[in-house]
Amino acid sequence: MQNSQSEILHLNIDGGSSSTRGFFLADFDGGTTEGFIHQPPNVGFLMQSNYENDKARGTSKTSRVTFRQGNELVFRIVGEIPGHAGTKTDPNMSKADLLVPKVLAFVGLALDRVPELSPDRVKLVINFMLPISEWTEYADLEADLLSCLLGGFGYNGRHIDFEAVDAKGCMEGAGMAMIPPPDITAYIGVFGHKDANFIAVEDGRPLAYPKSKTFEGLGMSSIVNRVMHFTDDVQGAKAVFRYLALMDKPNQQGKARKEIAVLIQPHRLEKKLTEIKEGFKANWGEIEQRINSDRGIKQAQAFYLVGGNAPLYKSRFKTLFGNAFKSINGAIRYLSEEFGEINTQWAYRAIDVWMLHLHVTGRTWTAEGVKEYAQAK
């Protein structure tokens, strides 16, 4: 490799409540490589004092990440941990709490995918996404990531240093903010695990409060908590999502019940199914009431819907917003076709960070434009 400045590794990362997903683009003398990375769910994080007792749990899907927090060397295990089929998600824990080890592991996974890269000759460019409610933590997280990545960190027994690092925090919706025309006010609904966020967009950029809003506790976890059965709210939310997604399809009723039946005893099943349906109805009722009483969101000139739970609400938002509701079916379909491991639900969650990925790597979303880029590679 002749010129170290020509090596750039772009990482655009969406840190979710369960798993983390994102895209990489490696641009180096040997060519260009692009791909999607899904970091497995059930992220276990253990302090150094616990690591010695648990290292036997390590598997091919588990990585040990080390980094410095101040003067202290900290260990984390990132990935699936056998025996922890559902790592309990603390409802009080923010996504920011685990961002640093998740990003470090993501960097390692990207380097695994592009072994031709020499980290000490690479400029690493990272954009990470977190909810608007955690906006105040972004600057500290940027500094923490720079400290770790420039100071070197360990991943799967390998010490990694980079020539240069640029780390930037973006609020959810930053990718989709590139889509609306610049002369209108648009809103992006981001439906995740804990909250429902409504991001105001003007002039191609997402806005912080007060125009943007967070409807706290109105994500999928609110329905799971209402049922009061699941020992793990992430696994419970996944089962509830699958049940609700199939519930309205007559030929899928049996399959829908099976999604929940594996987690609930037969004699309690009917009661819990009723509670799930009632919980979803109440959840939507409160969301609709809040939107109708919010002048900004209700008068959006364009409304876009993303997030892992978006498919459950799509028809309802289409009815609520009428012509202002903008379909992203073309982008969802393209994303699912381009990256075979992405299913439709994942695409609704990944579409935001993918749009950001296109923007920071010098592209914009049009089906033709992206296809032309792909053919030219």
Side-chain angles (χ1 to χ4, degrees), residues 55-66:
K55 62 182 178 181
R57 288 175 169 165
T59 72
S60 60
K61 294 183 179 181
T62 301
S63 301
R64 181 189 182 190
V65 175
T66 65

Side-chain angles (χ1 to χ4, degrees), residues 30 40 107 202 339 365 376:
V107 170
E202 292 180 358
F339 302 95
W365 161 248

Side-chain angles (χ1 to χ4, degrees), residues 10-30:
H10 291 275
L11 299 179
N12 295 289
I13 305 167
D14 177 17
S17 298
S18 56
S19 57
T20 299
R21 300 182 179 99
F23 298 87
F24 71 89
L25 176 65
D27 190 357
F28 56 106
D29 289 345

Side-chain angles (χ1 to χ4, degrees), residues 71 81 101 124 132 141 175 178 188 192 206 225 248 267 273 279 291 299 338 342 352:
N71 295 323
I81 301 179
L124 183 62
I132 186 174
L141 291 168
M178 312 298 171
I188 300 165
N225 294 335
D248 295 331
H267 69 281
L273 292 181
I291 289 175
Q299 294 185 356
E338 181 71 8
I342 300 181
D352 188 22

Side-chain angles (χ1 to χ4, degrees), residues 349-364:
R349 175 173 159 187
I351 192 72
D352 188 22
V353 72
W354 186 58
M355 293 294 184
L356 178 68
H357 176 72
L358 291 179
H359 176 72
V360 300
T361 55
R363 292 167 283 170
T364 56

Side-chain angles (χ1 to χ4, degrees), residues 257 264-275:
R257 290 172 60 89
I264 298 178
Q265 302 93 326
H267 69 281
R268 305 183 69 190
L269 183 60
E270 295 303 326
K271 180 176 183 291
K272 295 302 177 183
L273 292 181
T274 299
E275 289 177 358

